[in-house]
Amino acid sequence: MKKLLLLAALCFPFAIPMSAQKVAVRAGHVVDPATGTAAADQVILVEDGRITAVGRNLDVRGVDRVIDLSDAWVMPGLMDAHVHLTLNMPDEMGVAVPLPTFYLSQSNASRALLGVKNARDVLHAGFTTVKDIGNDGNYVATDLRRAVEAGWIEGPTILNTGKIIGPFGGQTHDISPDMPHIWEFEYVDADSPEEVRKAVRQNIYYGATAIKLVADNSAFYYDVDEIRAAVDEAAKAGLTVAVHAYGGEGARNAILAGAHSIEHGWTLDDELLRLMKERGTVLVGTDFPLEHYRAMVMFFPDPEGIYAQTVRRLRRAHEIGVRMAFGSDVVVDLLDRDRGRLALDFLSTWVEAGVPAPEILRAFTTNNAEFLRVADERGAIAPGQWADLVATPGNPLQDILQLREIRYVMKEGRVVRSE
Ligand SMILES: [Zn+2]
């Protein structure tokens, strides 16, 4: 039996149970993003991966291990509500491969392996929970999520939306009528409330834990009844519905239909932002930094223009009081940085828009935990929560760019990174 356990440990190093492991983390400060406050000289007690107590003079006798972060600021792990773990559009000689070419040239096996790498990279950067928002081949992200849950691979807690549900053609354009519907590896065509309901059921059957629609990527867009059908059907299974919409009527219909989030929303005007605030629709803005827009000039021919628009919309959303959850949406490897580092680049857009540091931190933690419906277990440093922690050298409530200096990551009580 012992031999078997040893073998299991060698083969599946992440599957080692944390049984009865008691850990004490000495924290210089513990940050509470929900209130925007920090408490000095704290001890966090962790047992079997969960936090059991937090306080100043806790008794650490009897713990198996004391972790010294007494010179650091400790906070809940970061969350990203818009990632594509199994999609990477290579940038070749300044020209990105168009999506159809990508679908035809990449096997789902290779995309699963890419997902393994991206899952590890985002976790090491400090993202302990992410939502894979589709473009995942034939439900590859379901397998990726299950591999993390089984302890086969290292990665964050994953929610996954499965195939993106959209009006005919998904997000492709100009595929010949003589060609097969190659988009069906990524998208489900659904062109009436009944078809949307069926698509939602299909996704749930194949392991989706959230639902994503694309509302306005074509000349035609979803109406209120179609989006409401998705919201109603998803609600039966307790799932949320995210809707890709830039602005205009597609976004308005999504908000009125009760969608839980608008993804991107780059052209949302004040009227729609106010409507979002009124209805409680979350904005997952995917607010690319200028450096990324410039590097993706093949998609964004006027990088300065779209960046200015992004900053303006982010500033207005903040001023109007729209609830915001952080989402990145990186799909092109740029500048020799991995997915996790690229996601943290987005902080510069939030700073440029004048959003205060505590509010930005909330978008990365508290707001996302509530939006992703994991707040009873993740997103705070409190008894009963999983010990998903990161640490920075300085105070993120004053300097949010400290999040780029994360050197310590703990996931469910296990040290992921400590240099
Ligand atoms: Zn996206």
Side-chain angles (χ1 to χ4, degrees):
M1 186 61 188
K2 244 187 187 162
K3 243 185 206 163
L4 208 66
L5 276 178
L6 182 66
L7 192 69
L10 287 172
C11 298
F12 303 107
F14 309 114
I16 303 172
M18 300 291 299
S19 57
Q21 263 265 40
K22 287 189 188 173
V23 178
V25 180
R26 286 193 188 284
H29 290 84
V30 168
V31 179
D32 177 12
T35 56
T37 58
D41 300 324
Q42 299 289 297
V43 173
I44 305 164
L45 290 180
V46 177
E47 197 170 335
D48 299 340
R50 288 200 191 246
I51 297 168
T52 55
V54 186
R56 189 177 268 265
N57 291 312
L58 296 183
D59 187 358
V60 299
R61 282 174 302 180
V63 303
D64 300 300
R65 187 175 171 201
V66 177
I67 294 168
D68 183 14
L69 296 174
S70 56
D71 59 351
W73 297 70
V74 180
M75 67 211 78
L78 310 182
M79 301 189 184
D80 186 335
H82 193 121
V83 300
H84 298 279
L85 292 171
T86 66
L87 175 68
N88 204 8
M89 297 155 73
D91 176 14
E92 287 171 5
M93 318 229 335
V95 182
V97 175
L99 268 177
T101 312
F102 176 82
Y103 302 150
L104 291 172
S105 63
Q106 302 291 311
S107 70
N108 282 341
S110 79
R111 294 179 65 175
L113 292 168
L114 172 70
V116 171
K117 174 184 164 21
N118 284 337
R120 181 186 184 281
D121 287 346
V122 300
L123 177 62
H124 278 242
F127 291 95
T128 53
T129 302
V130 303
K131 181 181 185 181
D132 186 284
I133 201 80
N135 294 114
D136 71 338
N138 206 19
Y139 298 100
V140 168
T142 294
D143 298 316
L144 197 62
R145 172 174 60 73
R146 289 175 178 162
V148 170
E149 288 168 358
W152 294 357
I153 61 169
E154 195 180 31
T157 299
I158 296 173
L159 288 89
N160 63 301
T161 63
K163 291 188 185 182
I164 298 170
I165 299 166
F168 190 82
Q171 286 177 281
T172 63
H173 300 282
D174 301 325
I175 304 291
S176 159
D178 298 332
M179 289 289 131
H181 297 163
I182 59 165
W183 60 82
E184 288 176 354
F185 255 59
E186 307 284 325
Y187 299 91
V188 190
D189 291 333
D191 292 283
S192 66
E194 290 71 26
E195 287 187 7
V196 169
R197 278 184 194 281
K198 185 170 184 182
V200 169
R201 290 176 185 181
Q202 174 184 320
N203 273 353
I204 295 171
Y205 180 88
Y206 290 121
T209 55
I211 297 298
K212 156 100 174 279
L213 308 187
V214 53
D216 68 350
N217 215 85
S218 318
F220 37 85
Y221 51 84
Y222 271 147
D223 61 31
V224 174
D225 288 346
E226 288 167 317
I227 299 170
R228 191 171 284 142
V231 173
D232 289 348
E233 199 59 38
K236 292 180 195 165
L239 308 190
T240 57
V241 174
V243 178
H244 162 119
Y246 296 120
E249 287 310 300
R252 183 189 307 278
N253 291 348
I255 300 163
L256 293 176
H260 298 87
S261 66
I262 298 289
E263 311 285 312
H264 314 302
W266 290 322
T267 61
L268 289 168
D269 58 20
D270 282 9
E271 187 210 335
L272 288 175
L273 289 169
R274 283 195 199 97
L275 193 59
M276 287 177 72
K277 178 178 162 73
E278 194 184 302
R279 302 286 173 122
T281 320
V282 172
L283 176 62
V284 181
T286 67
D287 307 284
F288 282 95
L290 178 57
E291 193 184 18
H292 288 213
Y293 279 131
R294 280 198 180 124
M296 295 190 292
V297 68
M298 55 280 183
F299 300 129
F300 302 104
D302 175 19
E304 278 76 15
I306 179 85
Y307 178 67
Q309 186 176 24
T310 303
V311 170
R312 196 163 53 240
R313 195 274 282 114
L314 182 49
R315 180 179 297 130
R316 289 301 295 146
H318 165 64
E319 287 167 355
I320 288 169
V322 177
R323 196 155 182 83
M324 295 196 278
F326 175 71
S328 61
D329 196 27
V330 178
V331 292
V332 182
D333 278 342
L334 304 167
L335 320 160
D336 296 329
R337 277 166 233 163
D338 68 40
R339 252 336 141 77
R341 303 300 305 171
L342 287 165
L344 292 171
D345 285 349
F346 284 59
L347 287 164
S348 61
T349 315
W350 289 70
V351 170
E352 178 78 20
V355 183
E359 194 56 46
I360 300 175
L361 187 62
R362 260 194 289 283
F364 275 73
T365 54
T366 319
N367 291 0
N368 239 335
E370 286 169 9
F371 170 55
L372 300 176
R373 296 188 173 174
V374 297
D376 53 345
E377 295 203 300
R378 304 176 195 279
I381 298 182
Q385 291 261 316
W386 283 108
D388 291 354
L389 314 174
V390 298
T392 55
N395 182 358
L397 297 170
Q398 276 167 12
D399 172 19
I400 196 63
L401 297 183
Q402 283 292 317
L403 298 186
R404 291 182 184 161
E405 310 302 322
I406 289 172
R407 295 286 179 270
Y408 190 93
V409 180
M410 176 182 278
K411 175 81 179 107
E412 295 179 358
R414 193 180 69 79
V415 180
V416 171
R417 185 176 162 200
S418 61
E419 99 287 12

